[in-house]
Amino acid sequence: PTIHALAHLMIAISDNTASNMLIDAAGGLGAVNAVCRDLGATRTVLGRKFLGRAARGGEAETLTTAADLTTLLRALRDGRAAGEASCARMLALLRAQAHRERLARCLPPAVAYAGKTGSLTGTALDAGFLFAPGGTLILAAIATDLPADYAADEPIGRLALAAAETWGGIVAG
């Protein structure tokens, strides 16, 4: 598969195999971590490849913060994550996100979403752009210690709607 096809699978459907192939293509965990640090995401650590489960035993875990996720998205928006054409392609991949049950869940049609979701048992995250009439918002939400797999979906969706109403020029309905 091409890099673009793997990137689509990684972003749009959260395919772990595609993600791991891209980690290798980028030079491995160390190279990915170096780029995160260079872009200002200093609390993000890709500790191991994606296995669809939390770390076990002596395995390192992947860690991030909502602040780091918004830092990375800001770097993409500002064209600092790569060249202009590459940033545009990355944004197009984020717009193709198939999992729209979190940040995009409650948004009205006037607000477009582009982002990346992630889940492990007990943890859910979504980070992305909301393209609202009043401007572009960058949001990230991470919920941990969840009692059920989908427990954070509705609250994260309401958070995005509140942001769109407060800062994005959407009139509360």
Side-chain angles (χ1 to χ4, degrees):
T2 66
I3 294 293
H4 185 270
L6 290 171
H8 172 77
L9 292 170
M10 176 182 73
I11 298 296
I13 63 169
S14 292
D15 183 277
N16 288 336
T17 300
S19 300
N20 293 336
M21 291 173 74
L22 287 170
I23 290 168
D24 289 340
L29 298 173
V32 173
N33 285 324
V35 169
C36 288
R37 280 191 309 276
D38 289 348
L39 293 174
T42 59
R43 295 181 60 199
T44 295
V45 177
L46 188 61
R48 64 186 174 94
K49 289 187 176 179
F50 297 99
L51 302 172
R53 61 169 173 75
R56 296 181 185 153
E59 293 177 332
E61 187 57 277
T62 292
L63 304 170
T64 194
T65 66
D68 272 6
L69 294 173
T70 60
T71 294
L72 293 171
L73 290 170
R74 193 174 305 111
L76 172 61
R77 180 201 64 196
D78 295 346
R80 292 182 295 107
E84 184 178 333
S86 293
C87 286
R89 286 193 297 273
M90 286 186 261
L91 181 57
L93 289 167
L94 292 170
R95 286 181 184 271
Q97 176 58 250
H99 301 286
R100 304 176 75 78
E101 58 275 351
R102 293 192 185 124
L103 285 177
R105 179 186 195 101
C106 301
L107 296 176
V111 180
Y113 160 80
K116 176 67 180 94
T117 66
S119 298
L120 283 175
T121 300
T123 301
L125 72 81
D126 199 352
F129 298 97
L130 304 184
F131 300 99
T136 300
L137 307 175
I138 299 174
L139 274 74
I142 301 174
T144 59
D145 299 321
L146 297 171
D149 287 344
Y150 305 102
D153 292 359
E154 180 71 24
I156 290 174
R158 283 186 277 125
L159 171 73
L161 178 58
E165 290 173 346
T166 303
W167 297 292
I170 297 299
V171 177

